[in-house]
Amino acid sequence: MDLSKIDNPSLLKEMNTKQLEELAEDMRQFLIGNLAATGGHLGANLGVVELTLALHKVYTSPQDRLLWDVGHQSYIHKILTGRGNQFSTLRKYRGLCGFPKRIESEHDIWETGHSSTSLSAAMGMAIARDLKNENHSILPVIGDGALTGGMALEALNHIGHEKKSVTVILNDNEMSIAKNVGALHGALGRMRSAGKYNRAKDDLEWLLKKIPAVGGRIAQAAERLKDSMKYFVVPGMFFEELGFTYYGPVDGHDFEDLLENLNYAKKTEGPVIVHVMTQKGKGYHPAESDVKDKWHGVGPYKIESGEKIKPSSAPPAWSSVISETLRREARTDDRVVAVTPAMILGSKLEKFGEEFPDRLYDVGIAEQHATTLSAGLATQGMKPFLAIYSTFLQRGYDQVIHDVARQNLNVIFGIDRAGLVGADGETHQGVFDISFLRSVPNMVISMPKDENEAQHLVHTAVKYDDGPIAIRYPRGNAEGVDTDEELHTIPIGSWEILKDGKDGVILTFGTTIKMALEASKKLEEEGISICVVNARFMKPLDNSMLHDLMKKDIPVLTIEEAVLQGGFGSSVLEFAAEEGYRSQWIKRMGVPDRFIEHGSVPELWAEIGLTEEKIIENLKEMIPTKQQRA
């Protein structure tokens, strides 16, 4: 079947099991072929092919509401809803989004990039449906990894308490981004091994009622026995205790099993859980056999071998530079402990865990818990390093303020994926952390210009004893510079002048230093002398250097790959206002007040005007002519 020509999932309604199986195979080959060129979330989507087809066969979207938790597993849904012809543009600039997107289709009713939100949204939709006296199904599809998130558990509790008709599809592949952890994961494992019980208990009730004359009374009397049987067959009965009717485990790659149970769930009133077991990477051997889940999100690859297409001599990843320095620190400081919310692989902590297995804690998709756990460690004199993506730190913001900063605890925040991240788009852009952390008392915020400075900042953070400290670092590879053998501390709040100049000054840090230096070099060729400062601490500022620069009464341009509202440039303006300097000679460049969609980082830089050309243009506008100076 030509999948690019599908415009509506209604074609599934008349398909038999054999036809569905053939379509599932076509879907897998389509994904494997297309993602080899574009990259994307391959493993998760291969795992939900049959489940997605079955959901769209039994239910009718968009009348019935399908919500995809995290959303990276919605590719089959996108193909079925008329977007197969756009897959060559997947995750590319102005192309198809890698997550559900409301403006793309009426079938995308909830946008997700962070996990564990679908159940709360589904509950809100269920309340609205009932208030409006409407009649449709609401089906959040949530993975067992996302179910470890606090929001998901809060929503389960509320849905069960209110007895709302919400059908939760639990996509159980025993993985989140990496292997799942925790007691809930263990409970689901026991459910998997226990087998089905729902059909058995209903068959028992049917048989008892068939007994002439007394059958009804016996069935009634056996109600307690039937309920007790649940505790025997499925240990814990976690979901039923919360008020849900539980169906499963269901083979997520068997259409007959899926369709039977989904139709059964469709007829059930109140909250329902359909526990579906799937295999991440199903149908593609390199992804199926991937025990470390390196096929969760991939770049381009060779279809035949699964070999990733990467530059052969790239510098180490920023995450590797940070984690390897942390491992080096841990060898000489027993207080160093690493914590991560399900990001051991993404934050490159595997080697740390191999060397220090009792000093690495993966808490699952639970950012709030990870933050306060780190605070608890700090109260006992440990040196917790919380490795967390910028976009996920947003989920632990109250804990940063209330549990860490307010108590002035020595937690080191390793803020990975800081800045624009590219293909994952607006849900993952790490552009807010400077703004939301800068307002928090006791917080230190830093960002290295290269891997050498990065290792010294990690060492500085470990030696720092006066409260929380954050080190931001971007996605991708570092600069490829030589690194010092001996580590040293960098004075907190200190900046460095990378290039001197007398006509104007650029204050910047991290990823934008290179473009600032290039712009300065080009202006030098035109006789314009620009000072470039590595403002490696966004908080506290280097007040001494700022005084020296502003006393020269020359234009100041701040550049940051982060939001302008409340960001680094704002702090420089605040300094100028408080100290009586001319703020009209200060201009800011950064991320404007809107969400930035997906595309390559250079394309996004060009879109928001974060380029060498724009730097040169801004400085030329700011610097007075010779006649004006005279």
Side-chain angles (χ1 to χ4, degrees), residues 19 93 130 142 163 362 388 415 452 590:
Q19 290 170 321
Y93 186 59
D130 295 349
I142 185 168
K163 305 297 182 189
D362 181 353
I388 187 168
I415 305 179
N452 190 44

Side-chain angles (χ1 to χ4, degrees), residues 4 129 146 228 318 417 483 503 505-506 519 548 557 573 614:
S4 66
R129 173 198 61 198
S228 298
W318 280 102
R417 271 62 167 180
T483 55
D503 296 325
V505 59
I506 299 172
D548 290 343
L557 179 64
L573 281 171
K614 194 65 178 177

Side-chain angles (χ1 to χ4, degrees), residues 62 104 188 194 239 256 376 418 457:
E104 277 186 9
L188 288 173
F239 297 114
E256 290 185 0
L457 280 174

Side-chain angles (χ1 to χ4, degrees), residues 445-459:
I445 311 169
S446 65
M447 189 171 192
K449 69 178 186 293
D450 55 36
E451 54 264 58
N452 190 44
E453 190 167 69
Q455 65 171 356
H456 296 310
L457 280 174
V458 172
H459 181 70

Side-chain angles (χ1 to χ4, degrees), residues 216-225:
R217 288 197 300 275
I218 292 175
Q220 214 170 20
E223 191 68 28
R224 262 187 260 172
L225 171 65

Side-chain angles (χ1 to χ4, degrees), residues 72 125 427 439:
H72 61 264
M125 293 176 190
T427 58
S439 60

